[in-house]
Amino acid sequence: MTQTVDLHWLCEQITDASVKGIALAASTLIREGQITVGMQMPAVRELAEKLGISPATVSAAWAQLKKQKVLAGKGRSGVWVCGDTAMPRPIRFEKIGNYGENIQADLALASPDPALLPNLRQAMLAGLNSPQLNSYQREPISPQLLKAIQPRWPFPAEAFLAADGGFDAMNLIVQTLVSPGDRVIIEDPTATRLLDILDNVGAEILPLPCDNQGPQPAELASLLQKMPVMVIYQPRTHSATGHTVSQARSAALAEVLAGSKTLIVEDDGIGDLSAWPVYSLGWHFPERTLHVRSFSKAYGPDLRLAVLSGTAEIVKRIQAWRNFGVSWTSRILQDAVAWMLGDSATQQQLQHARGLYAARRRRLLEALASRGLVLPERDGLSLYIPVASEQYAMITLAARGIAVLPGERCGMGSRQFIRVSTAMFPDAQLDVIADALVIASGREVAMRADF
């Protein structure tokens, strides 16, 4: 588990309790290895009280080190050491998986089961027959893939661009359209790497509370008064909570957004594995909606393929920024996915996979319910479980050889929760894991939660 820097020891190392002095002392200790990467810094208020200074002074010192990519985090998740040199890196994402050597059941990553993914042999052969193969023309999307996805898209978009996976598409959007200091509204909780991407560009993150139907319209209306440049949300099968934005909620969000000019970004990360349709805000605001659909979880992570849509002008801007690097996504991979989208056997296999994932999730839900922990039936490759204390839950589960994702990796508010992957759930350990999850959750708190 994460080790916290000793408060009294750290105070003894700080001889100058100014913003500059605290930042210098901490960075020196980190650079020399006396405070190592991954360690948690003491709470701001506790450190300030011990030093006899304002918490704002400590916060300002930490802010300097965050800009240098030495520290990361805030709020209830605290501040931790993310590096001993100044360099950009996905801090939250890199912390996932560091659970020690005693783990017997790793339920932290909600990854697809390789056994349920389509066989790529015929698809790759189809990709090798691409008419545009080996062309250096920087076309945004192959004609074959464009023809395959347009009838399936949730609104009639003006332009499309293939990207190297969903997070690559989201990173392209943020890098192109968000400047340092820009305010960006994003769901709380959200995908871990989206927070890393926004941190890396220097955006000011405005957390948007959600309920079981998605982002809350009243909270969105309040945040829009701060003049954000962008709002990011997941329209179906949320990666952390499993909720899906209903048609009624989408209409309510559209009413709120009608009075703004804020860009709307829809991140459909689970794509065709979702059991639900997308009620896209692109129907209401096609001139400022960017929709991203990933094909990795449904068709294969090594395909590294996603498609984003937007206006021709916005897609052109994103393509121009992309020309600093790879310029285009492999046409072999694009046309392989295009072939699978039209192949009836592949689509039947996807339907079968959705059913098996739902059955695995349901078995765990039933096991928890039989022990008094009742959770809502949702969608996706994981379960969202409210807990009384994330720290207690993680320690309790780790002691029993179980790893899950703590909410602090993808949440910014005060809500305490863990995410448990069900995609490759070990049925032989069902009872043991269910017992441990009930103990870890803080049973009464979990039963009262409606989100």
Side-chain angles (χ1 to χ4, degrees), residues 40-44 62 66 72-80 408:
Q40 199 89 6
M41 301 299 285
V44 168
W62 288 174
K66 288 177 184 178
K74 64 178 180 179
R76 66 180 174 85
S77 62
V79 174
W80 66 86
E408 68 173 18

Side-chain angles (χ1 to χ4, degrees), residues 229-241:
V229 300
M230 182 180 293
V231 55
I232 301 173
Y233 80 108
Q234 299 174 50
R236 63 174 174 176
T237 310
H238 192 280
S239 60
T241 70

Side-chain angles (χ1 to χ4, degrees), residues 219-420:
E219 300 288 348
L220 175 60
S222 177
L223 291 175
L224 286 173
Q225 295 178 14
K226 298 184 178 182
M227 305 300 290
V229 300
M230 182 180 293
V231 55
I232 301 173
Y233 80 108
Q234 299 174 50
R236 63 174 174 176
T237 310
H238 192 280
S239 60
T241 70
H243 72 250
T244 290
V245 178
S246 67
Q247 188 172 14
R249 178 57 56 85
S250 181
L253 294 174
E255 287 185 20
V256 172
L257 287 161
S260 78
K261 296 182 180 179
T262 303
L263 289 172
I264 301 162
V265 179
E266 299 175 332
D267 176 25
D268 184 11
I270 198 168
D272 288 355
L273 276 185
S274 176
W276 301 100
V278 175
Y279 298 107
S280 175
L281 290 168
W283 281 106
H284 304 275
F285 314 107
E287 77 286 354
R288 55 187 172 108
T289 298
L290 293 102
H291 186 84
V292 174
R293 177 168 299 178
S294 173
F295 295 92
S296 296
K297 283 186 170 62
Y299 297 92
D302 275 321
L303 290 167
R304 309 312 306 152
L305 192 82
V307 173
L308 68 86
S309 71
T311 65
E313 189 274 332
I314 289 179
V315 170
K316 184 178 180 180
R317 288 174 60 188
I318 295 171
Q319 177 68 59
W321 191 89
R322 199 185 192 202
N323 285 338
F324 282 112
V326 297
S327 293
W328 73 88
T329 292
S330 165
R331 296 181 182 90
I332 296 174
L333 301 182
Q334 289 189 61
D335 288 359
V337 170
W339 182 87
M340 287 190 286
L341 290 173
D343 179 58
S344 59
T346 300
Q347 295 306 309
Q348 289 175 7
Q349 186 173 351
L350 272 179
Q351 185 175 355
H352 176 67
R354 282 194 293 268
L356 285 181
Y357 286 131
R360 291 172 183 177
R361 190 173 60 251
R362 194 174 302 113
R363 280 197 292 272
L364 180 55
L365 282 169
E366 291 172 352
L368 294 174
S370 70
R371 291 161 171 79
L373 177 54
V374 179
L375 300 170
E377 169 67 43
R378 290 184 179 158
D379 192 22
L381 306 180
S382 61
L383 281 186
Y384 169 95
I385 303 180
V387 298
S389 165
E390 285 181 22
Q391 183 178 22
Y392 171 77
M394 297 299 291
I395 292 172
T396 299
L397 293 171
R400 291 163 173 77
I402 302 168
V404 299
L405 182 73
E408 68 173 18
R409 298 290 188 272
C410 48
M412 296 158 282
S414 60
R415 184 180 288 115
Q416 302 273 299
F417 69 93
I418 56 175
R419 190 193 72 181
V420 181

